[in-house]
Amino acid sequence: MAFLQKLFHIAGIMTSIEDETSRGTQVIRRIAALLRLLAANNRTGMRLVDLYRATGIERSTVHRLLQGLISERLVLQNRESKRYFLGIAMYEMGVAVAPPVKLRDVCQPYMNALAEQTGDTVFLTVRSGFDGVCVDRKEGSYPVKAFVLEPGRRRPLGVGAGNIAILAGLNPAEIARICAANRPRIRQKYPRYSETELASRIERAQTLGYTVTDVLETTGVRSVGMKICDRDRNPIAAISVSTLASRLESDRVQEVVTFLRASIESLEDKLRTMSVEEAASP
């Protein structure tokens, strides 16, 4: 009898584990369904009612799952429209699983050359969802350094020369979506940086093919930035040159732009001709 009781006890534990596993699997499947729907409709976003009707999941359950996803930055909700979109963390994951092109390594000789040609500080910024992340910095010979960014620092697209260069190269709908998503953060951190000024900088960058901006965080520092495009002409990164504003008056801006354009054209040619395996090799 004791033996049978022990078997029943073990069977009860196993059944409990199986039930818990089944519930966990169900949650994962529901989350996956929501994320797939948002991915398919991410340009316009989706309302709560659209999501629970499309999935057949109860409204309260969908709402609870979405709140959890928002807390992990996998989903975001527009405050005005109440529509849901994929969040920044989803973009970061997408970048992580993209073909492993080591852009930083490919860009290093071009950045070194720019630092030597200009004497100023050169930055490489890559797009990460709604942000730009500084991944490398090279110092020129000019004694006064403009350390605008530390490698690893993240800023909203729209803030900084490199970020504006990337943003300006996107299609109008994507620009509008990113600006709307970043508006609260930019307002909070840069209250004097108006939407009108940002729109003007984007338009000017589209016209000129580069951007010139005074650094918001550091008085008296100016930057020139130009986007880097992939094989499909999508902006994936930017190189910028920063120095004292007094060293970047109009005549010298054109000199720096000439150096930037030559370097980025060569860099993009190299990216177009490289295989994924070559770009990913050490």
Side-chain angles (χ1 to χ4, degrees), residues 8 25 41 45 51 57 79 91 97 115 127 160 171 173 189 255 262:
F8 290 146
T25 302
N41 299 276
L51 288 164
I57 305 170
R79 291 183 179 179
Y91 284 92
V97 300
R127 183 185 176 187
N171 66 63
K189 191 161 186 179
E255 179 184 5

Side-chain angles (χ1 to χ4, degrees), residues 142-159:
Y142 190 70
V144 180
K145 309 298 182 186
F147 292 155
V148 178
L149 293 172
E150 293 292 333
R153 185 178 174 191
R154 174 185 296 271
R155 294 191 296 181
L157 288 177
V159 176

Side-chain angles (χ1 to χ4, degrees), residues 235-246:
I236 56 172
I239 293 178
S240 57
V241 177
S242 297
T243 189
L244 299 178
S246 59

